[in-house]
Amino acid sequence: ESRSEWPIRIARDLQGDSTAARFTFHAIAKEDQDALEITTPVLPRAVPLRTQGAGMLDKASATVTVPLPSDLVKSGSSVRIECSPSPAAMAVTAANYLVFCPYSCTEQTANAILVGAALVEATAKAGQVAPGWGDAAKKLAPFLDHLVALQSPEGGWGWWSEGDRDPYLTALAIEALARAEAAGLGTSASNNALWQGARAMSFLLAQERSLDGEAYIVARLSPLYSRDELSQQAPGLKEMIETVAGSIYAARDKLGIAALALSTRAHADMGHATEAKALFELLKKRAVTSSGETHWPADPDAYGWFGEDVENTGYALSAMLAVSPKDPAAPAVVRWLAGRRHGGYWRSTRATAPVATALAEYLLGHPAELKPDYKLRLQWNGETILDRAVTAADAFGGDELLLQLPGSKLRAGENRLAISRAGNGSVYFAWEAKALVPSPGPSTAAEKRLTVTREFLRAEHTTDRRGRPRYLATPIAPGEQVRIGEPVMVRLTLKATRDLRWLMIEDPRPSGFEVSELLPQGTEWPYGTHAEQRDDRNLFFLENLDQGETVIEYLDRPEMAGSFTALPANASSMYMPDLEARSKEERVTVGEK
């Protein structure tokens, strides 16, 4: 047994679209031989910049400009283009986005279940099956199991299991479980979690002091209202829902847009038709219509858990469909939403869910949208990339209408996407670009609100006077080496000019390093931090980031000698895509033991 090393060099500007290197090793002896082929990722020294656009083709053809950076790194860059022949197809794409989201907090897990259940229910009523959703129970079973696992022992839910239970997240989880149950997708474990959460909800609802917050919670609990077992499983909760819903209706003139839309839907679900219509009339007065599009603006404090313009418009469309399914204003709302997509989704997982749910409900009152009949052609910089007939069989979209253009097809600066249609039917299009630029990339607008710095430090294990573990961290001088196996502390320092919420920190791991421990005792990290280790990076989720300085420390271990690049760490808001900050790129040198 022996170990050998071979130096290799890979060009800074990788050729082609592959981001992997292939190695073949041969061992040959007199009487035997063997060979091994492996591939390993090759990451450009680059960071991604994301841009997007969307709209609806309302004439025979249109040309869309897709701008990309002048210093574009082609290898690893891509542009994703999606064409939806109907609002239902947009709902399917959004449902798949939620299902395949790489993170799994309570919000994302619950919303994947909610949209999946809405899609299954709507398509079943229409006598259809969405592509990939033929066995919805199997598809959503892991999400139900995970949502059950995220529940606290007291019955509520927080953003992650490490945090405190939250009334809004608990109500969201309860609605997801209730609607899954109603759609025939629930399990015995999810049913038990549902009623355990319902029993905890009485206390959490009683603690809510915001009128809009009460409206949000009651709307999420409304699917339970008509359940026969509610009084037995959660004594007093039905009466509380009734009382709070009545007080919200009485103060309806004081409600924000999100609360007004949610209350409309809640009263409709509870069978209060008169109240639902009155609330909807108020909601219609808050709408903004321009250039054939209708939407509802953001509430004044839209950085809370709800109230952004896209979410409000999704909630309002759902309320409209519950009270007035054939409302002539609905297509104008869909048109506005179609133009606000970020690729196949809206702004964030939290914003996507109410919109996708409403679009799934929309198809029941607009069956003509499910009968496209046209010839669709797409050209990228003059090259035809799609040319096919679109028929009713494509109404829910499909892989053939999703295009992924690799870096070799992209050019720095302006790119042209030409779309043409010959025939009858809708074309809702969206594009999203992942454009790599040389590390560390340009400064971001968010750096005035949030900054992130990263340090690699020597770490010496010790204990305090009570025997608890502690680490002494000392700087690594420029050009100084660390040794294979030597503990290395990674310190991430976040500085915020005001309190922030729901942050994700992504720290790319240098080649040759392995994680010793992500949240070790004796290092610094905030209460409630959720951490995950991935193949190429480490993730940290902070529900609350206080104004000032916050530190996260974890331990790495170098396992091979060499000089390694640590790409910039990235801090961003899960629900505010414009809030993003990057650290500098680092170089770490590792010597033999």
Side-chain angles (χ1 to χ4, degrees), residues 384-398:
T384 299
I385 56 175
L386 179 68
D387 190 359
R388 71 186 299 270
V390 176
T391 67
D394 304 301
F396 290 94

Side-chain angles (χ1 to χ4, degrees), residues 510-533:
S511 297
F513 279 69
E514 295 294 336
V515 174
S516 292
E517 199 170 354
L518 277 184
L519 297 177
Q521 290 186 340
T523 62
E524 189 173 349
W525 39 273
Y527 167 77
T529 299
H530 174 76
E532 294 183 5
Q533 180 180 340

Side-chain angles (χ1 to χ4, degrees), residues 442-454:
S443 61
T444 64
E447 289 177 3
K448 295 180 180 178
R449 294 173 286 167
L450 175 68
T451 61
V452 55
T453 57
R454 179 183 54 198

Side-chain angles (χ1 to χ4, degrees), residues 58-398:
D58 53 4
K59 49 189 176 181
S61 63
T63 299
V64 178
T65 299
V66 178
L68 296 177
S70 58
D71 54 350
L72 177 72
V73 176
K74 290 189 176 184
S75 180
S77 295
S78 62
V79 171
R80 182 181 183 274
I81 302 169
E82 186 246 338
C83 290
S84 297
S86 73
M90 289 192 286
V92 172
T93 301
N96 291 333
Y97 159 72
L98 290 168
V99 166
F100 293 110
C101 179
Y103 315 114
S104 52
C105 66
T106 295
E107 174 271 317
Q108 290 154 348
T109 306
N111 275 327
I113 297 169
L114 273 174
V115 175
L119 186 64
V120 168
E121 186 175 5
T123 52
K125 289 180 180 178
Q128 304 277 353
V129 177
W133 288 85
D135 191 347
K138 182 178 179 180
K139 196 181 191 85
L140 292 179
F143 295 87
L144 291 166
D145 291 343
H146 186 61
L147 192 57
V148 171
L150 287 168
Q151 189 174 30
S152 72
E154 298 81 13
W157 280 266
W159 197 37
W160 296 93
S161 57
E162 291 87 349
D164 295 327
R165 60 182 182 173
D166 178 274
Y168 299 154
L169 284 163
T170 299
L172 177 66
I174 288 173
E175 184 188 17
L177 295 175
R179 294 203 183 275
E181 189 79 16
L185 305 172
T187 65
S188 58
S190 68
N191 189 57
N192 290 336
L194 166 65
W195 295 116
Q196 186 180 359
R199 288 188 287 272
M201 199 66 243
S202 297
F203 173 78
L204 294 174
L205 178 54
Q207 299 299 307
E208 180 59 41
R209 294 293 179 263
S210 160
L211 188 65
D212 281 16
E214 288 180 335
Y216 179 92
I217 294 172
V218 166
R220 297 298 186 186
L221 298 180
S222 61
L224 291 180
Y225 183 77
S226 59
R227 296 282 292 267
D228 294 335
E229 61 269 51
L230 175 59
S231 296
Q232 179 182 357
Q233 292 284 357
L237 183 57
K238 182 171 184 176
E239 293 75 15
M240 180 177 285
I241 294 172
E242 181 76 36
T243 299
V244 175
S247 65
I248 291 168
Y249 178 74
R252 55 192 178 277
D253 290 329
K254 300 178 181 178
L255 294 175
I257 291 174
L260 193 55
L262 286 163
S263 296
T264 301
R265 182 59 191 260
H267 279 279
D269 286 346
M270 294 166 66
H272 301 165
T274 301
E275 290 84 349
K277 289 180 180 178
L279 289 164
F280 181 58
E281 289 303 315
L282 285 177
L283 181 64
K284 287 197 295 184
K285 294 177 181 178
R286 309 271 189 97
V288 176
T289 299
S290 176
S291 302
E293 297 180 350
T294 298
H295 78 283
W296 280 260
D299 287 314
D301 184 18
Y303 189 56
W305 187 246
F306 52 90
E308 296 177 351
D309 56 354
V310 170
E311 292 174 85
N312 286 356
T313 304
Y315 289 137
L317 178 59
S318 186
M320 177 186 292
L321 296 171
V323 175
S324 179
K326 302 288 187 179
D327 198 299
V333 180
V334 171
R335 179 188 291 268
W336 186 89
L337 289 168
R340 301 308 181 279
R341 284 196 292 172
H342 288 200
Y345 61 97
W346 285 266
R347 190 172 172 83
S348 68
T349 51
R350 193 183 69 190
T352 295
V355 177
T357 298
L359 292 178
E361 297 163 348
Y362 178 86
L363 73 88
L364 294 176
H366 301 80
E369 290 269 16
L370 298 178
K371 300 177 181 179
D373 183 18
Y374 55 80
K375 184 74 173 293
L376 178 65
R377 173 179 289 183
L378 269 63
Q379 291 182 309
W380 179 262
N381 293 329
E383 177 187 352
T384 299
I385 56 175
L386 179 68
D387 190 359
R388 71 186 299 270
V390 176
T391 67
D394 304 301
F396 290 94

